């Protein structure tokens, strides 16, 4: 049973996730300069966009499916989650879902086991995740594993393992999994209050260690170095680490932004 303070934090985290998705939706696929221009005078819909302002996209719907799976099973159950994703796809409300997610769900629908992979191993950097969507390392895995990260926020010993397993239901690229693990680590630290405590080990370092050996970890370290330079602006930092939808760029950029703009 969650304590009232935990319930409030979890609800706030999920609501914040959905709000971030809704507010950021118009900027998907834009360059940093284009996104800046888009938000300069208030948020405007993109010309030709099929989604109106204020709606959530597939990433929030994926998060909802993962959360409902946890509630139903009282634990992370990859088989149950895979089944729910197939049902979600069959309902047809896909709202800008990425091709990696759609390809993975189509394979699940055809009966391909979620855990099928090219070789054995358990190292994020080893590349054994080759398979569906190997070249697609976006942030869909972060969305899918967000509730799993909340579920394990007070259990660091199983956080990375369960988040990795949940990510593998749809994403096989090592950087997609590494990004999800790094993000989950940051989320757990934020929920505990450790993310802003100067006495606690730096958040960049903590997340980089969780995703060790990955491009995500490398860029987290670069972000940490830039954050320590007095004259380095967010623009300088994001130009170095990147700010695209690639998980190895997006996750370090998100964590850097969270720390650089504490209010």
């Amino acid at each position: 049973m969650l304590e009232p303070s935990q319930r409030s934090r979890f609800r706030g985290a999920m609501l914040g996730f959905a709000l971030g998705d809704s507010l950021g939706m118009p900027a998907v696929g834009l360059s940093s300069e284009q996104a800046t221009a888009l938000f300069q005078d208030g948020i405007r819909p993109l010309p030709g966009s099929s989604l109106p302002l204020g709606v959530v996209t597939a990433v929030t719907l994926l998060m909802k499916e993962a959360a409902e799976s946890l509630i139903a099973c009282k634990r992370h159950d990859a088989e149950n989650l895979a089944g729910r994703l197939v049902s979600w796809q069959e309902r047809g409300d896909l709202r800008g879902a990425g091709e990696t997610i759609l390809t993975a769900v189509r394979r699940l629908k055809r009966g391909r086991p979620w855990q099928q992979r090219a070789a054995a191993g358990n190292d994020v950097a080893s590349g054994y995740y080759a398979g569906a969507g190997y070249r697609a390392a976006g942030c869909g895995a972060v969305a899918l594993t967000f509730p799993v990260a909340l579920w394990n926020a007070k259990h660091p010993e199983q956080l990375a393992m369960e988040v990795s397993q949940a990510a593998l239901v749809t994403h096989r690229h090592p950087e997609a999994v590494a990004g999800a693990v790094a993000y989950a680590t940051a989320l757990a630290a934020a929920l505990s209050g450790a993310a802003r405590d100067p006495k606690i080990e730096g958040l960049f370092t903590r997340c980089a260690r969780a995703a060790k050996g990955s491009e995500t970890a490398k860029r987290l370290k670069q972000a940490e170095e830039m954050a320590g330079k007095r004259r380095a602006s967010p623009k300088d930092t994001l130009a170095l680490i990147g700010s695209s939808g690639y998980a190895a760029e997006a996750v370090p950029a998100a964590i850097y932004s969270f720390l650089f703009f504490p209010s």
Side-chain angles (χ1 to χ4, degrees):
M1 180 70 70
L2 291 175
E3 299 170 2
S5 62
Q6 286 180 295
R7 286 199 294 271
S8 176
R9 282 174 178 261
F10 282 23
R11 286 171 179 158
M14 295 181 77
L15 178 60
F17 184 101
L19 286 170
D21 175 29
S22 178
L23 290 170
M25 176 270 292
V28 171
L30 300 186
S31 68
S32 180
E33 291 74 18
Q34 290 171 323
T36 299
L38 179 71
F39 291 107
Q40 208 156 25
D41 300 315
I43 305 171
R44 302 186 300 278
L46 285 175
S49 174
S50 61
L51 294 175
L53 289 176
V55 302
V56 296
T57 74
V59 295
T60 297
L61 301 183
L62 288 170
M63 180 193 72
K64 179 174 175 286
E65 293 297 333
E68 290 182 348
S69 176
L70 284 166
I71 291 167
C73 300
K74 302 292 189 291
R75 62 183 179 86
H76 167 58
D77 186 316
E79 292 287 353
N80 181 274
L81 176 57
R84 286 174 181 272
L85 294 183
V86 170
S87 297
W88 162 74
Q89 190 263 350
E90 290 174 342
R91 290 195 296 272
D93 185 6
L94 307 180
R95 299 193 198 183
E99 189 56 36
T100 300
I101 292 285
L102 294 177
T103 298
V105 175
R106 283 194 289 265
R107 293 187 182 196
L108 291 169
K109 189 175 180 179
R110 291 199 298 267
R112 180 171 178 174
W114 71 267
Q115 70 271 42
Q116 191 176 76
R117 44 190 175 251
N122 195 32
D123 181 1
V124 165
S126 70
Y128 86 97
Y129 299 104
Y134 179 73
R135 295 191 179 280
C139 290
V142 171
L144 194 65
T145 61
F146 190 89
V148 180
L150 291 175
W151 189 269
N152 289 287
K154 287 199 168 185
H155 305 283
E157 68 284 351
Q158 62 190 51
L159 179 70
M161 179 186 68
E162 293 218 340
V163 165
S164 296
Q165 188 186 67
L168 281 168
V169 174
T170 54
H171 288 70
R172 300 295 182 185
H173 195 292
E175 291 304 331
V177 180
V181 170
Y183 193 92
T185 303
L187 179 61
L191 286 166
S192 71
R196 300 196 187 283
D197 187 342
K199 296 178 289 186
I200 303 294
E201 177 186 56
L203 188 60
F204 286 119
T205 300
R206 181 182 292 205
C207 295
R209 285 179 179 171
K212 64 182 178 181
S214 66
E215 181 66 22
T216 301
K218 175 185 172 183
R219 294 184 192 227
L220 281 163
K221 291 173 184 174
Q222 289 176 330
E224 183 175 37
E225 290 172 5
M226 293 294 284
K229 296 180 179 179
R230 285 188 178 182
R231 296 186 180 181
S233 67
K235 187 175 181 180
D236 296 332
T237 303
L238 296 179
L240 175 66
I241 64 175
S243 57
S244 73
Y246 175 39
E249 294 183 3
V251 171
I255 294 170
Y256 169 83
S257 300
F258 168 70
L259 292 174
F260 194 90
F261 300 102
S263 62

